Amino acid sequence: MKKIGILTSGGDCQGLNAAIRGVAKALYEEAGGDVEIYGIQNGYRGLIHGDYKKMKQSDFSGILTIGGTILGTSRQPFKEMRVIDNETSIDKVKNMKDNYRKMGLDCLVILGGNGTHKTANLLSEEGLNVVSMPKTIDNDVWGTEMTFGFQSALNIATQVIDGIHTTATSHGRIFIVEVMGHKVGWLNLYAGIAGGADIILLPEIPYDIDKIAEVIDKRERAGKQFSILAVAEGALSKEESAMKKKEFKVARANMKYPSISYKIAEELGDKTGHEIRVTVPGHFQRGGSPCAYDRVLCTRFGAAAARLIMNEQYGFMVALQNEKIVPVPLGEVAGKLKKVPVDCEEIRAAKDIGISFGD
Ligand code: F6P
């Protein structure tokens, strides 16, 4: 009898249930029904506090198309994992190991992004059997060309830009669409290209507000009455990029705008004399049903994770590389961020067709 625990951790995204279903169904198939699955509630929090339940095989049916996660999720910062709570004296790592043993698990399946993988690696180093799957709309997990959730969120963000395009054209207006992604700009880069944005601002390429104003001015002189800016949540100016990390944090904390897009809108408005509208789809980008691509990717990831478990190959994340699903050691994934390389082919193509990156 194999005993497997599953948890989903960090910000949710489309495809979590599809991936849970994938690994569970493949385990039931491969183990000939001789498997017990424990659903750990709300990510690592459930593992710390012993909040889990034995799942039935039927729990994994009918969830392929459902957004969110049937297990719930939470953010448990990695940097606090080894900190003993003063009031409760809870030793989080010890509790997680104790609960793993209490359930009698053969393996813990962890679905998560960057922060989640640091803790997954910690648990693996602490002697637990761990297999993980890369999820996030940001597509910034090291070691995989694609995370699940990205393509679904991309479809939504692109639809938002498409919708803004028509109203921007009718009114001859300048619009900013703010796309999720604090540290990396994959989602905004792809949505910006797919939605035909004129200017794309990424965290990886600090912008110069004067350059952006020049682009808008040039478009106007060419008879183009509207402009669309796709701005990543984490876009930053050249001045901000020159700041020390702490100084930048303070500057952002004291910023009078709800997000960077509003600051850009005001500054650009002053420079161009136009009123600039901002649209922020926010968490809507993470919601709803996974797209067909993600459903397939989650099924492939899930089946590959089950295969690793059946072969007792632990300490790996399943990843997409060169169109194949491969295992990548957790130690190689943890603590790294897959940023957009500024010389990547996508940026080059975008620049070739005249898209500005504000640099
Ligand atoms: O990591 C996924 C993500 O949606 C990012 O794109 C975004 O910056 C962040 O999570 C938002 O975090 P929260 O859900 O905690 O508001």
Side-chain angles (χ1 to χ4, degrees), residues 11-12 75 135-138 140 180-183 187 233 283 286:
D12 75 341
R75 290 196 189 275
K135 71 91 229 197
T136 167
I137 64 166
D138 296 336
D140 59 357
M180 270 191 162
H182 263 302
K183 293 187 181 144
L187 187 57
E233 268 181 319
H283 291 75
R286 285 190 346 209

Side-chain angles (χ1 to χ4, degrees), residues 178 207 231-233 235 240 252 255 258-264:
E178 185 174 285
Y207 66 81
V231 174
E233 268 181 319
E240 285 176 313
R252 276 296 164 98
M255 187 168 79
S259 71
I260 189 66
S261 295
Y262 292 89
K263 181 172 187 275
I264 295 172

Side-chain angles (χ1 to χ4, degrees), residues 38-149:
Y38 288 84
I40 297 155
Q41 309 295 295
N42 304 315
Y44 291 120
R45 194 196 294 162
L47 192 57
I48 294 167
H49 297 288
D51 188 7
Y52 51 80
K53 63 175 182 200
K54 198 154 111 193
M55 308 290 282
K56 299 190 296 291
Q57 197 164 348
S58 59
D59 291 331
F60 302 105
S61 290
I63 61 170
L64 172 66
T65 62
I66 298 172
T69 160
I70 57 166
L71 299 176
T73 187
S74 65
R75 290 196 189 275
Q76 295 286 317
F78 173 72
K79 61 175 189 284
E80 286 164 26
M81 277 299 178
R82 293 228 183 247
V83 179
I84 310 287
D85 194 285
N86 266 345
E87 277 166 32
T88 59
S89 303
I90 286 179
D91 179 335
K92 300 182 199 73
V93 176
K94 180 177 179 303
N95 276 22
M96 288 195 280
K97 287 162 70 176
D98 287 351
N99 282 319
Y100 176 99
R101 302 245 148 78
K102 219 188 265 174
M103 284 181 270
L105 297 183
D106 293 294
C107 180
L108 177 62
V109 180
I110 297 175
L111 283 65
N114 279 304
T116 300
H117 275 89
K118 290 190 211 166
T119 301
N121 185 47
L122 178 156
L123 293 177
S124 174
E125 284 174 352
E126 287 284 327
L128 306 193
N129 296 333
V130 175
V131 167
S132 75
M133 294 190 233
K135 71 91 229 197
T136 167
I137 64 166
D138 296 336
N139 195 24
D140 59 357
V141 176
W142 185 268
T144 185
E145 281 153 22
M146 191 58 65
T147 58
F148 66 84

